[in-house]
Amino acid sequence: MAHILMKYGGGLITTKSQMKTVDRDAISKLSRIVSELSGLGHKVTIVHGAGSFGHLKAKQWNIANGAQEDIIEQQKEAVNSIREDMLQLNTEVCNSLSNHDIESKSFPPSDWARDTGADFSGDLSPIENCSEGVVPITFGDVVDCSPPKLFGILSGDDLMVRIGKEIPGITHCIFLLGDTEGLLSAPPSDPNAALIPVWKKDQEVSGEHDTSQDVTGGIFLKLESASMISTIIPNVWFIDGRKPERVIELLKTGTTRGTQIVQ
Ligand code: IP8
């Protein structure tokens, strides 16, 4: 039996550029795969990103850089509002799982995590000890931070690192991407971009980080996170989330189309 830690990219489950637009078809396809994996006897843990339920307001009020005296009141309002929006997106994911007869339990980071980056503080044991047959879910969120910052953005990629490294028994760690088949030799918009099937730390990539919509680190943070996880977990992959059946193929055959991250 495998234990698969999956991250649904925010750009996969929402339209990133349009405020709070959820992609229910993409989410439903993912739920079907989770149901199939459970049917095969595997355990699944899910982390999801924020997409347009988090990044746009966070960008507008500069939440990632913490409290700023001149706009603190608006920032506090934005923090509450982003947290509510994230709960709403999370409910979409959970409802879809439930429509596929999968029971899940959510762990919103604003309730249990503090500070940002992969060394954030927070107790992962409730996620680890979630009842058998129940899929634990957590997600990128606005978390409280020590002064002077007061608040900041904890990315789902940082949660992947900590869960991947600290919860024992995880065999596969999969980043499901919204706009690409894996890591490409050039940005996805470039027609000459080719899929890189295996990526090793320090191998150069020419990625792009769309700072107009993304307040966390884009593909570079994902690579760094995946590379850290691959020190512990053997099967770390970037896979096209629009074709989640590739996850089943990976589990059944040991390989699929995507990028494997190795040490
Ligand atoms: O999409 C970011 O999480 P990510 C969370 O996993 C917010 O990087 C609230 C912008």
Side-chain angles (χ1 to χ4, degrees):
M1 185 191 98
H3 182 173
I4 304 128
L5 172 64
M6 286 204 282
K7 180 173 182 210
Y8 296 0
L12 171 64
I13 58 173
T14 77
T15 303
K16 262 193 139 170
S17 56
Q18 273 173 289
M19 186 66 92
K20 292 179 68 183
T21 41
V22 63
D23 189 338
R24 293 208 172 98
D25 289 342
I27 294 177
S28 171
K29 257 168 125 180
L30 297 166
S31 301
R32 208 173 313 136
I33 294 302
V34 174
S35 156
E36 207 173 324
L37 289 168
S38 304
L40 291 168
H42 302 309
K43 182 173 161 64
V44 179
T45 297
I46 298 173
V47 173
H48 67 79
S52 55
F53 284 67
H55 288 269
L56 299 177
K57 276 182 202 161
K59 172 93 187 161
Q60 188 182 354
W61 294 107
N62 203 6
I63 303 301
N65 291 321
Q68 254 171 264
E69 220 178 289
D70 49 334
I71 51 166
I72 184 71
E73 287 315 315
Q74 292 96 315
Q75 283 186 312
K76 281 185 180 162
E77 227 172 90
V79 166
N80 290 333
S81 157
I82 295 167
R83 285 176 174 161
E84 274 171 31
D85 293 349
M86 286 309 300
L87 287 174
Q88 208 178 318
L89 178 60
N90 181 250
T91 301
E92 291 277 350
V93 174
C94 296
N95 286 349
S96 170
L97 285 168
S98 151
N99 290 339
H100 289 80
D101 297 322
I102 298 288
E103 197 185 332
S104 60
K105 184 168 165 55
S106 295
F107 297 90
S110 57
D111 290 347
W112 61 272
R114 274 188 81 80
D115 296 319
T116 58
D119 55 358
F120 70 89
S121 40
D123 180 11
L124 297 177
S125 59
I127 295 180
E128 178 180 346
N129 300 321
C130 198
S131 325
E132 189 154 345
V134 178
V135 172
I137 307 195
T138 187
F139 49 85
D141 203 359
V142 184
V143 292
D144 291 342
C145 293
S146 314
K149 243 185 125 181
L150 303 181
F151 45 76
I153 304 286
L154 179 62
S155 171
D157 293 342
D158 294 320
L159 289 156
M160 290 291 281
V161 173
R162 289 292 292 283
I163 296 173
K165 287 174 81 169
E166 287 176 28
I167 295 190
I170 295 176
T171 53
H172 294 72
C173 173
I174 299 171
F175 291 82
L176 292 166
L177 310 173
D179 62 351
T180 158
E181 296 202 284
L183 184 62
L184 303 179
S185 57
S189 50
D190 185 333
N192 296 319
L195 178 68
I196 300 172
V198 180
W199 185 83
K200 222 181 166 115
K201 195 175 155 68
D202 298 332
Q203 196 174 319
E204 212 176 300
V205 281
S206 74
E208 79 189 342
H209 177 203
D210 186 353
T211 48
S212 67
Q213 283 160 28
D214 197 334
V215 298
T216 49
I219 195 77
F220 298 112
L221 174 63
K222 231 174 277 303
L223 270 179
E224 201 183 307
S225 307
S227 179
M228 278 193 261
I229 301 166
S230 71
T231 59
I232 311 262
I233 296 178
N235 304 288
V236 181
W237 285 77
F238 287 180
I239 290 177
D240 192 339
R242 299 161 300 185
K243 301 195 167 113
E245 60 281 1
R246 290 180 182 169
V247 177
I248 305 285
E249 186 182 39
L250 174 66
L251 266 294
K252 285 187 172 164
T253 70
T255 191
T256 191
R257 187 163 170 82
T259 302
Q260 184 174 16
I261 313 296
V262 298
Q263 269 306 290

